[in-house]
Amino acid sequence: MLQTPDDLESHACMNTRLPLREGINAWELKQGDVALQCRIDGPLIFNSVYAAMDAAMAGYGLAYVPELLARPWLESGRLQKVLQDWCPMQQGYHIFYSSERQLLPALALIIDTLRYEPQE
């Protein structure tokens, strides 16, 4: 069982490299006032958090993904949380657009998607 971020070193951890960022994304962990950006070495690197979740469900290792995206698989038991005491709550998304222009349907769809909150 993982207790601290140091325990990640003894597990196969998967990384993501998203198109809008350079390099591999750090695992951002926080407990109280202690905040860490962990660079995890692992056997696999994905360009999609969904691919990382699929690999985690297939047993390839641990994946660092947003809880909101993983929630259906957490609830079904296909995925399990680790280091729960070290997982910070995200502040959410911010989107800026002109209020003086007509809202394009595609942008309205994105805003509605970002505002979506699953019922518990």
Side-chain angles (χ1 to χ4, degrees):
M1 184 69 153
L2 292 143
Q3 300 294 321
T4 70
D6 290 336
D7 296 335
L8 293 171
E9 292 179 18
S10 63
H11 287 46
C13 297
M14 295 172 285
N15 287 297
T16 55
R17 179 184 293 134
L18 301 178
L20 299 178
R21 294 186 180 179
E22 288 186 26
I24 294 173
N25 296 340
W27 291 30
E28 297 177 5
L29 305 173
K30 183 176 181 181
Q31 185 180 54
D33 293 335
V34 178
L36 303 173
Q37 287 200 340
C38 301
R39 300 287 177 190
I40 307 295
D41 289 326
L44 300 170
I45 300 172
F46 296 95
N47 63 359
S48 160
V49 292
Y50 293 104
M53 279 192 295
D54 287 343
M57 286 186 277
Y60 287 100
L62 303 176
Y64 178 78
V65 299
E67 182 178 348
L68 182 62
L69 297 180
R71 186 172 290 155
W73 294 278
L74 290 167
E75 290 172 354
S76 73
R78 292 196 63 204
L79 289 176
Q80 295 179 349
K81 291 181 187 181
V82 296
L83 295 178
Q84 188 167 348
D85 293 341
W86 284 88
C87 295
M89 291 297 296
Q90 296 295 326
Q91 296 299 318
Y93 298 99
H94 300 279
I95 188 164
F96 300 93
Y97 57 93
S98 173
S99 62
E100 297 176 9
R101 300 177 113 188
Q102 183 176 357
L103 192 61
L104 297 172
L107 182 57
L109 180 62
I110 290 170
I111 292 169
D112 288 344
T113 301
L114 293 175
R115 286 183 176 159
Y116 173 75
E117 292 185 30
Q119 301 299 317
E120 299 203 22

